[in-house]
Amino acid sequence: MKIELSSVSVTYEEGMPSATRALSGVDLTLVEGECVAVVGPAGSGKTTLLEVIAGLTRPSSGRIAGSPDGSAASLRTSVGLVHQFPEAQFFEETVFEDVAFGPNRQGLEPAEVRDRVSAALTRAGLPPEEFGERAPLSLSAGEKRRGAIAAILALGRPFLLLDEPTAGLDPATRRRVADLIENEVATGRGVAIVTHDLALAAELASRTIVMSEGSILADRGTASVFCDDALLGRIGLEPPPRYALVCRLRRENPAMAEEIGRLLGAPLAEPGA
Ligand SMILES: Nc1ncnc2c1ncn2[C@@H]1O[C@H](COP(=O)(O)OP(=O)(O)OP(=O)(O)O)[C@@H](O)[C@H]1O
Ligand SMILES: [Mg+2]
């Protein structure tokens, strides 16, 4: 299954003096089993893009095709969206009930809901026997973030979109969230991550989409984007120094760059390489 956007534009408050063009003529394809990073300055349309893909914001023009029929309703059942700071949305009394909310609404049998919730909590590193009966607000910040992601995993959708999943996290929790996302990709889910954390993009995404003022400036292999100084300069982004070093080396000696990239914990392989 894939999701395809063709010439998608979004204007908020269309026809009003306050109208804002958030997306302009976006073409984009997401496929299962691939992780794509979306980067770009504040206000460039990243969140709007995720909301359109999730069927939560309707394009002002253009088309989205996805399974089964490309309608907003079918997108909503194919895509799980983890909003920025999702832990702000806990509202049930226990972690288990909170994660069960979505599957319950899908009308699943109680036993199926329990299985889904247990599996999602386990994948998020929150063993249900230890965390299920806890009050969501009693969790640590990192546990809250992972619990909120588990609530979306429990929906069992083929596509997972995450808006700034590591924003505000300490390094250890950031690591756990990165591992969690990597595992979801490995199980065949299609994943798109909006992030200002270029190291996270390099680590997880084989493809990177660069946005600026509502348009896609580039949609290429992550290594090729990271090593394009002119492109990154246009949007005011700079790769972490170890990636900049690997990029410089790649021009001289790609094999050595790959080796050193691995040693530095900054691998920048081309997809399929
Ligand atoms: N609900 C809304 N109503 C009106 N304008 C909006 C709305 N949501 C977003 N916008 C505008 O659309 C543009 C794109 O916003 P969006 O939130 O998609 O950007 P972003 O790339 O996610 O930014 P950030 O990195 O700050 O999260 C901005 O100019 C923003 O002000
Ligand atoms: Mg945003």
Side-chain angles (χ1 to χ4, degrees):
M1 178 190 163
K2 60 183 176 183
I3 294 177
E4 268 183 303
L5 279 64
S6 317
S7 307
V8 166
S9 297
V10 170
T11 302
Y12 290 108
E13 302 180 26
E14 198 154 24
M16 316 264 283
S18 56
T20 309
R21 180 98 154 165
L23 290 181
S24 293
V26 167
D27 296 314
L28 173 67
T29 303
L30 298 181
V31 298
E32 285 178 82
E34 184 184 39
C35 182
V36 175
V38 181
V39 304
S44 57
K46 304 178 301 294
T47 296
T48 302
L49 178 65
L50 295 190
E51 289 182 345
V52 165
I53 297 169
L56 300 177
T57 294
R58 187 201 288 265
S60 315
S61 63
R63 233 167 50 83
I64 308 183
S67 97
D69 60 7
S71 69
S74 80
L75 284 171
R76 281 197 290 266
T77 59
S78 305
V79 176
L81 171 59
V82 179
H83 288 100
Q84 192 168 5
F85 302 114
E87 57 276 15
Q89 289 166 25
F90 286 126
F91 58 94
E92 297 284 0
E93 306 246 313
T94 69
V95 169
F96 197 96
E97 286 167 37
D98 213 279
V99 176
F101 179 80
N104 274 328
R105 289 214 341 171
Q106 293 173 337
L108 303 169
E109 295 294 327
E112 164 82 10
V113 171
R114 274 198 303 278
D115 288 350
R116 288 253 197 124
V117 174
S118 296
L121 283 171
T122 304
R123 264 147 60 212
L126 301 172
E129 56 284 3
E130 193 178 331
F131 289 93
E133 295 311 311
R134 295 272 300 272
L137 296 179
S138 77
L139 301 178
S140 77
E143 289 160 356
K144 280 187 189 133
R145 179 70 52 88
R146 287 183 283 127
I149 294 175
I152 301 299
L153 297 183
L155 299 173
R157 308 255 163 93
F159 287 89
L160 177 65
L161 314 179
L162 302 110
D163 199 351
E164 293 287 353
T166 59
L169 297 181
D170 66 283
T173 307
R174 176 192 171 283
R175 177 76 265 139
R176 298 190 76 147
V177 169
D179 290 345
L180 186 171
I181 296 169
E182 194 169 17
N183 283 334
E184 294 305 311
V185 180
T187 64
R189 227 179 281 280
V191 174
I193 320 168
V194 165
T195 187
H196 292 286
D197 180 347
L198 289 188
L200 185 78
E203 188 183 328
L204 297 179
S206 53
R207 205 173 117 211
T208 293
I209 292 166
V210 180
M211 298 201 58
S212 171
E213 297 180 1
S215 298
I216 292 184
L217 278 188
D219 178 353
R220 307 202 298 252
T222 297
S224 138
V225 168
F226 270 55
C227 296
D228 189 335
D229 296 340
L231 172 66
L232 293 182
R234 272 177 74 186
I235 54 164
L237 283 181
E238 220 178 290
R242 57 200 169 131
Y243 289 98
L245 173 67
V246 174
C247 285
R248 248 170 52 206
L249 255 178
R250 271 165 65 92
R251 287 178 209 123
E252 317 279 327
N253 187 335
M256 185 186 283
E258 200 174 317
E259 172 99 29
I260 292 191
R262 259 201 313 275
L263 288 171
L264 288 176
L268 266 182
E270 288 290 357

